[in-house]
Amino acid sequence: MVALHAVDFPPNTMDDPYYHLAQTGPYAPEIGSALITMVEPHVGHEHGYNRWYEDDHFIAGAMAFPWMWGGRRYVAPVRYQTVRYPSDSVIAQPIEAGKYLSIYWITEGQYENHLRSAVGTNHRLFADNRVFMERDHTFTSFQKY
């Protein structure tokens, strides 16, 4: 293990925008907003979707963002999808759509900064061909706490 010394860090820290970014606004892990998604992979692409999501997207497309401090993914088995209600849901049509549910927590007071970072990162992921296209978003929305 190599010890880091003050000389290993950039000498002009006060001019570094990343230094100032880390010094700005709240940073405690307190819920301010949430990103909630329900996704349905296309039939026959479930394995590819799960590999992409777990091996790449959960980290690069979510947890690596500034001010996103927690995330969890859930899967609704068929027996639970069939008992969803109301049947005329404004979120899921058909009601069984969106078996993969993810929830991410965003630091209180950092929603706007987080969103700016997320949009930029997602454009880069698209350009780098790191977005799994064989899926439908049943529901994807940022929600304020």
Side-chain angles (χ1 to χ4, degrees), residues 63-110:
M63 296 307 300
F65 293 162
W67 306 291
M68 186 169 272
W69 54 267
R72 184 85 190 245
R73 183 174 184 227
Y74 304 89
V75 179
V78 171
R79 69 179 180 273
Y80 294 128
Q81 294 172 44
T82 60
V83 296
R84 288 179 175 170
Y85 64 91
S87 59
D88 62 345
S89 169
V90 296
I91 295 174
Q93 285 301 321
I95 195 70
E96 299 85 12
K99 70 175 63 69
Y100 294 93
L101 170 69
S102 299
I103 302 172
Y104 300 95
W105 302 116
I106 301 163
T107 302
E108 171 67 36
Q110 294 289 6

Side-chain angles (χ1 to χ4, degrees), residues 5-14 16:
H5 303 284
V7 295
D8 295 328
F9 292 98
N12 296 320
T13 304
M14 298 307 287
D16 185 348

